[in-house]
Amino acid sequence: MVLSGMNSLEQMRDNLLFMKDFVPMTEAEKATCAKAAMIIQQSSMIPCTACHYCTETCPKHIPIPEYLSLLQEGHSTTQIVYYFNLAQTHGRAGDCIECHQCERHCPQHIKITDHLKEISQAFDGFKGW
Ligand code: SF4
Ligand code: SF4
């Protein structure tokens, strides 16, 4: 399967040209991909692609992909500063009202509201060093 974002006829032609001399993957290449997929699925990584489909309808203007990336990068000083900078102009993780609109738009089926609770616990209660 190939997923390619296109928003013009020119981009579509370019993509079709790329597939003109298509050579399928070998069995060894397929096995490598399957192994890589298994490793990714078994890791605790959140499969967010930062497509921002989820943020378009969020009534609280929560920067969901940016907050999700924080969850994966840990809670160091840099992450805390980044969080509070974002929260000045956007909703905080704890502002989520669990309307679940974001989850209905997420192509990766990420449990956004659950992750926002974790993020809120880690960052919203921060009282300083
Ligand atoms: S569930 Fe939370 S993050 Fe998702 S759209 Fe609603 S308010 Fe925004
Ligand atoms: S819709 Fe899903 S994959 Fe896209 S940015 Fe939001 S959480 Fe990430």
Side-chain angles (χ1 to χ4, degrees):
M1 181 192 291
V2 176
L3 288 178
S4 173
M6 295 173 273
N7 50 28
S8 73
L9 187 59
E10 196 174 87
Q11 286 176 2
M12 184 185 274
R13 285 193 177 121
D14 191 40
N15 279 346
L16 290 173
L17 201 65
F18 173 76
M19 297 299 284
K20 199 166 148 256
D21 298 317
F22 177 71
V23 180
M25 283 198 294
T26 64
E27 289 309 312
E29 287 169 336
K30 283 183 198 169
T32 303
C33 285
K35 197 174 166 189
M38 203 177 69
I39 291 167
I40 292 168
Q41 280 169 0
Q42 285 172 349
S43 76
S44 56
M45 269 181 63
I46 300 169
C48 175
T49 59
C51 65
H52 275 274
Y53 293 147
C54 55
T55 56
E56 285 168 14
T57 54
C58 175
K60 295 293 181 182
H61 307 291
I62 297 172
I64 297 163
E66 288 80 4
Y67 286 173
L68 290 181
S69 73
L70 284 174
L71 200 57
Q72 304 196 104
E73 287 163 10
H75 309 146
S76 73
T77 307
T78 312
Q79 275 78 44
I80 290 167
V81 170
Y82 180 68
Y83 178 81
F84 282 101
N85 278 340
L86 269 173
Q88 284 186 18
T89 49
H90 299 79
R92 288 179 176 222
D95 292 337
C96 174
I97 55 169
E98 297 188 52
C99 65
H100 296 281
Q101 287 192 59
C102 51
E103 290 171 359
R104 284 194 280 275
H105 290 93
C106 178
Q108 306 293 339
H109 309 295
I110 295 169
K111 298 213 172 304
I112 296 169
T113 50
D114 289 350
H115 289 310
L116 285 176
K117 283 180 200 158
E118 292 172 53
I119 295 160
S120 177
Q121 244 179 354
F123 293 99
D124 284 334
F126 181 74
K127 300 273 190 293
W129 289 275

